[in-house]
Amino acid sequence: MRTLLAVALLALAGVEARADDWPYQAECRKFANVAIPQRDIGVAPAKCDSNILYYGATGDGHGSDFVASRACAYRERAAKEDVEFSGAMILTMIYANGLGVQRNLPLAKRFSCELDGAPAEMEGRLVHLDSIASKGSGKQRFDICDDITSGFMMGWCSAHEADFAKVRRDERMRALSRTWTPAQQSAFASLRKSADVYFDASAQGEIDLSGTARGMYETVARESLEEGFLAAIERFEKGNRPEPGATGFKSEDAGLNAAYKARLTEIAEAEKDGDQGTGAVTATGVREAQRKWLIYREAWVSFGAARYPAVPADAWRSWLSHERAAKIRNPEPDMEAPASH
């Protein structure tokens, strides 16, 4: 927060203070002219992406090229490309961690100050960099997502991690499906298409997306569905597949219908009473997700017939109805903080 005391202290420190300053703005002016070593700029690879070069294609550091990432980030910065996880953002991390170049915390602060963010976030990064200067970085690399305070940055960091998670899932899926027949591949492609539509409808319509952190909530909700989807296929490939069970599809379908009706009733009563308990969730959103889910369920049945023909169609419907009922009863996924790299 801006305070008269903070402004006074900055003035005593010899930094020009302005009446409307946030403390980080006055601090940033000390680093605005830190010299950029010309030898560090280098030559950027053609059509480079500093983000991929920094984190690696799968986000876990494998294949990282910090020298190329640095050169690419300088080019992105010069081109004023307004893209998250590029340019000054990558350069902040490179110089803070001393990756592919000598650590230079004043220069890291300069690039950090070029970013646009919530005041508390901007101040937190500067404090974090000061901590590295006094204590060293330890085992944990400094990451731009370490000092999140705003819902918008939560959304960006969640989406950033989700992009890499998708790459890793795609690798797992390719390994699973390598020996599938063309007919099985085709059936899976249809399932994958219906999954995308249902997952989007559920993440956008069945959880509360009010507030500035809605981007993170939507991303986490969709990631939960994606991880569950792939985990199920991995189980089935190992032979752990749905069975008709003692109750069967009729019972599971009845349970699903009861959960669906109860959820719609809950939303209707909340809207009538002016209760915000369901947040931005509407009956329309839940109905749309349910319609998309029905298509998704039948796509699973078709894929199951192609890949696992010994499993009866209603066994798939029973399993999926059980899963869907649980989702309706507890629509909100666990909201975990975005993972640092």
Side-chain angles (χ1 to χ4, degrees):
M1 295 291 293
R2 287 172 289 187
T3 66
L4 292 176
L5 176 61
V7 173
L9 290 174
L10 289 166
L12 289 173
V15 179
E16 179 187 359
R18 299 170 185 170
D20 60 349
D21 264 343
W22 291 96
Y24 85 86
Q25 291 173 313
E27 176 73 4
C28 279
R29 282 196 289 277
K30 295 192 296 184
F31 299 94
N33 296 313
V34 171
I36 297 173
Q38 291 302 300
R39 65 180 180 277
D40 286 0
I41 296 175
V43 178
K47 297 181 180 180
C48 64
D49 183 331
S50 66
N51 175 46
I52 299 299
L53 289 166
Y54 181 86
Y55 288 104
T58 56
D60 55 9
H62 287 90
S64 295
D65 185 335
F66 300 118
V67 173
S69 178
R70 184 180 76 237
C72 187
Y74 271 117
R75 185 168 74 182
E76 292 164 346
R77 175 177 174 270
K80 301 185 186 306
E81 295 183 7
D82 188 19
V83 179
E84 295 83 28
F85 297 94
S86 68
M89 192 174 282
I90 297 295
L91 290 169
T92 299
M93 294 186 288
I94 283 176
Y95 283 105
N97 294 310
L99 297 170
V101 71
Q102 184 175 357
R103 175 176 287 155
N104 187 331
L105 293 173
L107 191 51
K109 284 191 171 185
R110 171 178 176 166
F111 291 128
S112 176
C113 289
E114 291 180 7
L115 306 178
D116 186 21
E121 220 159 61
M122 300 291 286
E123 290 169 17
R125 289 197 190 100
L126 293 174
V127 170
H128 192 164
L129 291 168
D130 282 337
S131 176
I132 293 173
S134 62
K135 302 177 183 178
S137 60
K139 296 180 180 179
Q140 186 75 24
R141 280 186 193 170
F142 170 89
D143 191 89
I144 211 69
C145 291
D146 289 343
D147 306 295
I148 298 173
T149 65
S150 69
F152 291 113
M153 195 65 187
M154 288 178 189
W156 286 348
C157 290
S158 294
H160 186 241
E161 175 56 27
D163 287 342
F164 286 124
K166 182 181 184 304
V167 174
R168 296 191 293 270
R169 281 194 303 268
D170 287 347
E171 287 187 351
R172 289 158 62 191
M173 193 64 233
R174 279 192 293 272
L176 288 171
S177 62
R178 190 173 294 122
T179 61
W180 292 0
T181 67
Q184 292 165 352
Q185 296 277 5
S186 178
F188 179 77
S190 296
L191 172 59
R192 180 67 261 184
K193 184 177 179 180
S194 67
D196 284 334
V197 174
Y198 162 54
F199 293 171
D200 283 343
S202 180
Q204 293 165 12
E206 295 194 293
I207 65 167
D208 183 7
L209 296 182
S210 57
T212 59
R214 57 186 173 272
M216 181 190 73
Y217 298 148
E218 182 179 342
T219 297
V220 172
R222 201 182 196 290
E223 283 297 286
S224 177
L225 290 167
E226 288 285 3
E227 288 295 332
F229 178 76
L230 181 54
I233 295 175
E234 289 175 330
R235 289 197 310 272
F236 302 153
E237 286 296 297
K238 293 177 181 177
N240 184 11
R241 296 161 193 163
E243 297 180 359
T247 56
F249 170 56
K250 186 176 181 180
S251 176
E252 293 292 356
D253 189 50
L256 169 58
N257 287 332
Y260 179 61
K261 290 176 183 177
R263 180 59 171 159
L264 293 179
T265 298
E266 178 189 19
I267 294 170
E269 290 178 349
E271 291 174 346
K272 181 178 65 176
D273 297 338
D275 182 9
Q276 298 300 309
T278 58
V281 179
T282 65
T284 298
V286 175
R287 289 192 187 99
E288 183 64 14
Q290 183 69 359
R291 282 194 290 268
K292 302 305 183 185
W293 174 82
L294 288 168
I295 298 170
Y296 169 71
R297 183 186 69 182
E298 293 311 304
W300 255 113
V301 172
S302 297
F303 170 67
R307 178 60 184 165
Y308 316 108
V311 179
D314 275 357
W316 294 109
R317 294 188 180 101
S318 179
W319 162 65
L320 287 156
S321 296
H322 182 84
E323 294 283 314
R324 176 63 180 156
K327 170 68 176 172
I328 290 174
R329 293 189 191 101
N330 298 285
E332 301 288 340
D334 291 333
M335 294 294 175
E336 298 178 355
S340 297
H341 301 271

